[in-house]
Amino acid sequence: MTDLGWIDAAMTSARPQAVAALLRYFRNLETAEEAFQEACLRALQKWPVNGPPRDPAAWLILVGRNFALDEARRRSKQQALPDEEILSDTDDAETAMADRLDSEDYRDDVLRLLFVCCHPDLPANQQIALALRIVSGLSVQEIARAFLVGESAMEQRITRAKRRVSQADVPFETPGAVERAERLSTVAAMIYLLFNEGYSASGGELHIREPLCEEAIRLARLLLRLFRGDPEIMGLNALLLLQHARAPARLDANQNIVLMEDQDRRLWRREMIAEAFALLDKAVRLQQPGPYQIQAAIAAVHARAPRAEDTNWHEIDRLYALLETVQPSPVVTLNRAVAVMKCDGPAKALEMIEPLASALSGYFHFHGLRGGLLMQLNRNDEARVSFDKAISLANTAAEAAHIRTHLDKLMEEGKKRKH
């Protein structure tokens, strides 16, 4: 991490709470965003000199609020622009703000903002994209990759969503019980995408962004508090916990990717796994299966295996087949192909994924898996082409490095054949 990397990490982690609190103050999305951005600019000026504040979120909220209030006064000519030192002097106020951040007033700010972004006046794809941009601060490029669409198309989608929110005069209050239930699936989808961005980053220096994963889990738990009897929200929580439990084993000391079959399972977080098992068991008893429960069940099969070779791949294949019927998508079929490879061999798996080539032409994992299957079938020239394509689509240095290890193996095999 660079010298200023800690500042970027702190601002990213504080963003959801800060923007949500600013929105509650000003009831205007553009004002809240602008205030947060100004606070971040001032943090870049102040923090390297003064060191990190005790609570970055409190600092950013105070500075952002002061800026937005001053802008309103200046525009109305009610008050002159205060001196910069006055605007950014938060030493006395920061402590009080930090003490209030965990109080009831602030506890559900982020969840309130999520439900605002997922307003029914917006198309579903705009709701999730807007929430990822406003709540989580993901870049347009990162969101576009999550949706497997072009960056310019996603930029237009988010711009249209902001315009609709402004024109529709959306109330910035927590919706009632009926409205919450209507928006639940969209909010859950946004939390899931937020977690995925942390689990496997679509850009930047870090392959895993744990603060995003932890924020997604926090939001999922808040959602479960509101909908205690919903089996899909139980399933979502279980899924996120099971995936995040493996985080300590997913990268080696050099930040290289460690595949699940090679991970040291002693590093997996057993308390998270136990919590996830309890949630999943409770959800299953309600006999209302859904996509999150099925994905959690797949993750649970991996978590229950003491060793990689003990994994029940036939059960995983069965669960993916069920997921294909409940929520069909090319990515689900691609994931199922890994189980098919383990059960029936690489030729059968390759036959399954070849029809996905057009739909997943810009998807890193498609070309990585295809290259691996071709290499197992000794079709090395074709495998090399797929690996090269995967490297060109890699989202992080760790992904690119992982694929290069396969290319290195192909080169070594080529040298051996020549000798």
Side-chain angles (χ1 to χ4, degrees):
M1 189 176 286
T2 62
D3 290 343
L4 296 181
W6 64 271
I7 296 181
D8 179 64
M11 290 190 298
T12 299
S13 179
R15 180 187 174 98
Q17 201 166 22
V19 173
L22 290 167
L23 179 62
R24 183 161 56 83
Y25 281 129
F26 299 108
R27 298 295 196 270
N28 184 284
L29 200 53
E30 294 292 342
T31 300
E33 269 200 295
E34 184 181 358
F36 177 76
Q37 292 301 325
E38 180 64 25
C40 288
L41 289 175
R42 295 185 182 179
L44 289 171
Q45 296 168 0
K46 299 286 183 180
W47 293 0
V49 177
N50 301 333
R54 186 169 75 88
D55 190 305
W59 194 99
L60 292 166
I61 291 167
L62 278 167
V63 173
R65 184 180 63 173
N66 287 346
F67 166 78
L69 287 172
D70 178 73
E71 283 294 292
R73 291 170 184 146
R74 185 172 62 82
R75 282 193 295 268
S76 63
K77 297 182 180 180
Q78 293 177 349
Q79 184 172 319
L81 184 68
D83 185 78
E84 163 64 22
E85 291 303 316
I86 296 175
L87 267 177
S88 293
D89 182 11
T90 63
D91 290 343
D92 294 334
E94 182 191 321
T95 298
M97 177 68 79
D99 290 339
R100 291 169 55 202
L101 277 175
D102 290 327
S103 71
E104 188 172 348
D105 285 346
Y106 285 86
R107 187 180 59 201
D108 293 336
D109 269 348
V110 178
L111 202 59
R112 179 187 296 110
L113 180 54
L114 273 177
F115 278 104
V116 167
C117 290
C118 296
H119 195 275
D121 282 352
L122 299 176
N125 59 1
Q126 288 185 20
Q127 293 173 15
I128 298 172
L130 182 65
L132 287 169
R133 181 74 190 101
I134 300 299
V135 181
S136 304
L138 300 191
S139 70
V140 174
Q141 182 185 51
E142 289 169 339
I143 301 170
R145 285 177 174 170
F147 278 82
L148 301 179
V149 300
E151 191 172 339
S152 60
M154 183 53 66
E155 178 74 58
Q156 293 172 8
R157 186 180 297 180
I158 293 171
T159 300
R160 285 195 297 269
K162 287 182 179 180
R163 188 182 304 121
R164 282 198 182 202
V165 168
S166 176
Q167 293 174 349
D169 195 24
V170 173
F172 293 102
E173 305 291 347
T174 304
V178 174
E179 289 175 294
R180 285 202 305 264
E182 291 172 348
R183 303 182 203 178
L184 179 60
S185 62
T186 304
V187 173
M190 180 271 158
I191 293 173
Y192 179 59
L193 286 175
L194 172 61
F195 179 87
N196 284 343
E197 178 58 31
Y199 183 83
S200 181
S202 63
E205 296 179 8
L206 301 176
H207 181 68
I208 300 174
R209 297 161 67 180
E210 288 214 36
L212 290 184
C213 293
E214 289 162 1
E215 177 63 16
I217 290 171
R218 191 185 77 82
L219 292 173
R221 282 176 165 152
L222 277 174
L223 209 57
L224 187 59
R225 285 215 321 248
L226 285 174
F227 300 92
R228 296 180 184 277
D230 191 298
E232 270 295 83
I233 302 305
M234 295 178 201
L236 174 64
N237 276 266
L239 173 60
L240 303 192
L241 288 168
L242 286 167
Q243 298 287 58
H244 196 47
R246 299 198 300 266
R250 292 182 56 227
L251 298 175
D252 65 17
N254 296 317
Q255 298 300 297
N256 294 315
I257 293 172
V258 180
L259 296 178
M260 194 187 301
E261 60 192 35
D262 300 320
Q263 289 173 12
D264 183 351
R265 300 184 178 217
R266 294 171 299 180
L267 298 176
W268 290 1
R269 295 162 173 155
R270 291 294 161 184
E271 288 185 5
M272 278 190 177
I273 291 173
E275 182 184 351
F277 283 171
L279 283 167
L280 185 57
D281 288 346
K282 185 177 179 181
V284 169
R285 285 198 298 272
L286 296 173
Q287 297 184 342
Q288 300 173 38
Y292 295 123
Q293 293 172 74
I294 297 169
Q295 290 176 80
I298 292 168
V301 174
H302 288 294
R304 288 192 173 98
R307 302 171 302 166
E309 53 267 36
D310 298 324
T311 304
N312 186 344
W313 286 104
H314 289 283
E315 175 64 5
I316 291 175
D317 181 31
R318 184 190 71 79
L319 288 167
Y320 268 122
L322 177 60
L323 186 59
E324 278 185 313
T325 63
V326 173
Q327 192 180 61
S329 84
V331 173
V332 171
T333 301
L334 184 72
N335 290 335
R336 184 186 177 192
V338 176
V340 170
M341 175 193 70
K342 295 288 188 179
C343 296
D344 302 318
K348 189 69 177 289
L350 184 63
E351 180 184 345
M352 175 180 286
I353 71 168
E354 290 290 27
L356 308 176
S358 177
L360 299 179
S361 61
Y363 191 49
F364 164 82
H365 294 287
F366 170 78
H367 297 283
L369 177 58
R370 186 173 184 274
L373 296 173
L374 289 166
M375 189 168 72
Q376 289 184 56
L377 294 168
N378 294 317
R379 293 163 60 177
N380 291 346
D381 289 341
E382 295 172 83
R384 190 174 290 106
V385 172
S386 285
F387 286 144
D388 285 339
K389 181 65 175 177
I391 289 175
S392 73
L393 294 169
N395 299 313
T396 63
E399 285 184 347
H402 175 66
I403 296 298
R404 286 195 186 96
T405 61
H406 294 308
L407 284 173
D408 290 343
K409 289 179 184 178
L410 290 177
M411 289 180 65
E412 286 298 318
E413 290 178 7
K415 290 178 182 178
K416 288 177 182 179
R417 283 199 297 271
K418 288 180 180 177
H419 292 295

